[in-house]
Amino acid sequence: IHVIAGEMIAPDSVVVNDGEIEIVEIDKFDMYAEGYISICTFVMPEKDVEVSAIFIEYQERTENTITLFTYSSYTYGAEPDVEIEATNGKEIAVYVYADNNNGPWSTEQPTDVGTYYVKASIPATDAHTSAISGPVDFTISKATNAITGLTMADWKVGGTPSTPVLTAKFGEDTVVYTYSTEEDGEYTDTVPTEVGTYWVKAEIEGTNNYTYTSATTSFQITAESEKQEI
């Protein structure tokens, strides 16, 4: 039994010692970098005997090498620029990460600000061996947060107050709104109810991953229209 281009080639029958053996089943159940482990089931018709044997098949594969691997630093919320070149299989490369260059290594990509290490790994196939790069360090830096498009619709006195609307790069679900009679005045969390012009401030506290940000916009509470007498 031998291997050619990843396939096990077996004759229909062979002669071993004093009896003819027919190969009736071949199960290739696992693969290693060096080759396959196979279970072959034989029968000896003359003696009504069935035998199972385990074979380790070694297959000649192309030696694989990662020749280039770069992984850029980036800001929180962004993605790195990755460049990889290998003699084989760069399209099936996977990346493993750790917070130091000795591991332990995980396939889970880090998301928080910090310095990390990454290695590229290409698994073995029928055609080539596995390959792994050395560790490359990279940094995730704090992102600058920003609020855009803050608006608050006007409403008539006695009506239901409007709800501010905005878009934020990060932390939109943690925004806090406060109100003032002047843009640079003192803000409180009390929503105004009287006729006038007011300002709303939206604030998102900073975290380890992004900076503090705020924005303001004006709105009005207007008087009810007077009813016309007929």
Side-chain angles (χ1 to χ4, degrees):
I1 298 173
H2 61 284
V3 175
I4 298 177
E7 298 294 330
M8 184 162 69
I9 309 300
D12 292 333
S13 64
V14 295
V15 176
V16 175
N17 295 332
D18 60 347
E20 184 177 280
I21 297 177
E22 294 180 2
I23 300 175
V24 296
E25 185 177 11
I26 300 173
D27 293 321
K28 185 179 293 183
F29 72 91
D30 208 350
M31 186 175 80
Y32 292 81
E34 297 83 4
Y36 299 98
I37 289 181
S38 301
I39 293 180
C40 300
T41 301
F42 306 90
V43 295
M44 298 181 69
E46 297 175 0
K47 299 185 178 182
D48 193 25
V49 174
E50 182 175 303
V51 180
S52 291
I54 295 178
F55 292 87
I56 298 178
E57 307 172 63
Y58 290 95
Q59 175 183 343
E60 184 177 351
R61 298 177 179 180
T62 302
E63 186 71 26
N64 197 14
T65 303
I66 295 175
T67 56
L68 173 67
F69 176 52
T70 62
Y71 196 99
S72 70
S73 296
Y74 55 99
T75 57
Y76 173 79
E79 289 294 330
D81 293 323
V82 181
E83 186 176 4
I84 182 170
E85 295 294 339
T87 49
N88 294 280
K90 71 175 185 178
E91 65 281 356
I92 60 171
V94 295
Y95 305 103
V96 291
Y97 305 87
D99 57 11
N100 66 81
N101 61 3
N102 294 317
W105 300 90
S106 168
T107 55
E108 184 176 353
Q109 184 179 354
T111 56
D112 292 328
V113 166
T115 297
Y116 303 93
Y117 295 82
V118 58
K119 294 193 290 187
S121 176
I122 299 175
T125 68
D126 287 349
H128 59 73
T129 63
S130 62
I132 191 165
S133 73
V136 173
D137 66 285
F138 67 96
T139 298
I140 302 176
S141 56
K142 180 178 286 192
T144 301
N145 202 4
I147 292 172
T148 56
L150 174 61
T151 60
M152 189 164 185
D154 301 338
W155 72 90
K156 293 187 182 299
V157 67
T160 301
S162 300
T163 300
V165 177
L166 58 74
T167 300
K169 290 178 66 176
F170 308 104
E172 196 169 304
D173 58 342
T174 66
V175 63
V176 174
Y177 297 105
T178 52
Y179 306 88
S180 177
T181 56
E182 299 177 358
E183 183 175 12
D184 296 324
E186 181 178 349
Y187 284 79
T188 72
D189 58 4
T190 301
V191 180
T193 58
E194 302 298 324
V195 172
T197 298
Y198 300 92
W199 291 81
V200 58
K201 177 186 285 186
E203 295 179 281
I204 299 175
E205 290 298 324
T207 69
N208 289 336
N209 292 323
Y210 53 80
T211 61
Y212 164 87
T213 188
S214 67
T216 58
T217 191
S218 63
F219 65 94
Q220 290 185 330
I221 301 175
T222 58
E224 288 282 358
S225 300
E226 295 183 1
K227 294 182 179 179
Q228 294 182 349
E229 295 183 2
I230 302 175

